[in-house]
């Protein structure tokens, strides 16, 4: 039988061996905190944009488009219904697209997607909305049954047409300003590259 001293010796060796193996193991416990990723980090509401002319126009466009869409949806019977359906499609499309652009500009999401020309996108949206709202309001004004909902839809349709028209003019100026700055930057880069390339070319020796 083993004595008590031998048993204690074996226990000490086993504990030392486990400590050594634990120290040499690559899988060590860590006490570093795990930081959770914030998907919506950096997205804040830009109040300066909402207070600007473009922001105010966007809000007015969304509100008027929504009112026009609600007015046209309250019409229960129509014959013919072409003007009603046309105005319904235009008001709904403008409401969705303009609302999405308002959120993108208000939350500064456009700065996270720089490869998209947002000025041109806004210009196309406002120009198309101006044209189609004018056409749909004109068609509904000519083909209607003189109901209150149709008259209200026509009024709000022409109002939002004017607002979209003003926004289109401002969007054109903003797009031209951005295109001009981009053209100047490209020209300066081209001149800088030409100057650098000329500086690297060695002068030719004169012919004897």
């Amino acid at each position: 039988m083993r004595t008590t001293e031998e048993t204690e010796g074996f226990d000490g060796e086993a504990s030392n061996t486990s400590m050594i193996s634990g120290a040499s193991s690559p899988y060590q416990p860590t006490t570093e905190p795990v930081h959770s990723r914030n998907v919506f980090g950096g997205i804040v509401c830009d109040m300066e944009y909402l207070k600007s002319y473009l922001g105010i126009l966007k809000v007015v466009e969304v509100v008027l488009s929504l009112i026009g869409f609600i007015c046209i949806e309250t019409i229960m019977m129509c014959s013919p219904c072409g003007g009603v359906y046309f105005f319904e499609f235009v008001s709904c499309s403008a409401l969705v697209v303009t609302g999405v652009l308002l959120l993108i500009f208000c939350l500064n999401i456009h700065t996270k997607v720089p490869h998209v020309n947002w000025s041109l996108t806004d210009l196309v949206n406002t120009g198309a909305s101006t044209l189609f709202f004018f056409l749909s309001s004109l068609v509904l004004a000519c083909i209607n049954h003189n109901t209150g909902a149709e008259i209200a839809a026509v009024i709000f349709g022409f109002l939002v047409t004017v607002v979209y028209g003003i926004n289109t003019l401002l969007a054109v100026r903003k797009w031209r300003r951005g295109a001009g700055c981009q053209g100047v930057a490209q020209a300066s880069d081209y001149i800088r590259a030409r100057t650098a390339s000329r500086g690297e070319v060695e002068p030719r020796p004169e012919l004897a």
Side-chain angles (χ1 to χ4, degrees):
M1 295 179 64
R2 296 179 179 176
T3 61
T4 305
E5 295 179 356
E6 292 178 352
T7 304
E8 292 178 355
F10 282 119
D11 293 339
E13 292 178 358
S15 61
N16 292 334
T17 304
S18 62
M19 291 176 62
I20 294 173
S21 62
S24 61
S25 175
Y27 303 101
Q28 296 295 328
T30 179
T31 57
E32 296 180 359
V34 178
H35 299 283
S36 59
R37 295 182 179 179
N38 188 2
V39 179
F40 300 99
I43 298 180
V44 294
C45 183
D46 188 2
M47 298 303 298
E48 295 297 329
Y49 176 78
L50 290 178
K51 295 178 181 179
S52 64
Y53 291 111
L54 292 176
I56 295 174
L57 289 174
K58 281 283 186 297
V59 174
V60 174
E61 289 163 2
V62 170
V63 173
L64 292 179
S65 299
L66 178 60
I67 295 175
F69 180 72
I70 293 174
C71 291
I72 207 68
E73 285 296 314
T74 58
I75 299 175
M76 304 303 298
M77 297 180 61
C78 60
S79 179
C81 299
V84 174
Y85 292 156
F86 186 29
F87 189 91
E88 179 183 9
F89 171 76
V90 172
S91 59
C92 180
S93 301
L95 174 63
V96 172
V97 177
T98 306
V100 170
L101 288 177
L102 176 61
L103 290 177
I104 290 175
F105 292 137
C106 180
L107 299 179
N108 286 327
I109 300 177
H110 63 287
T111 59
K112 301 181 181 299
V113 190
H115 58 275
V116 177
N117 192 339
W118 293 106
S119 298
L120 182 60
T121 303
D122 186 33
L123 174 59
V124 172
N125 173 62
T126 53
S129 299
T130 303
L131 176 62
F132 284 106
F133 254 120
F134 175 75
L135 293 177
S136 62
S137 301
L138 185 62
V139 171
L140 187 61
C142 297
I143 306 175
N144 63 78
H145 302 84
N146 294 325
T147 61
E150 290 174 329
I151 295 175
V154 170
I155 293 175
F156 284 107
F158 282 117
L159 286 177
V160 74
T161 300
V162 174
V163 177
Y164 269 114
I166 298 174
N167 195 357
T168 301
L169 295 178
L170 296 179
V172 168
R173 293 180 180 179
K174 183 179 179 181
W175 175 70
R176 286 181 177 178
R177 193 183 308 117
C181 294
Q182 185 177 3
V184 171
Q186 291 178 353
S188 61
D189 293 339
Y190 175 75
I191 294 174
R192 191 181 302 109
R194 287 292 301 273
T195 304
S197 63
R198 289 179 180 178
E200 294 175 358
V201 176
E202 297 180 357
R204 295 181 179 179
E206 297 181 357
L207 297 176

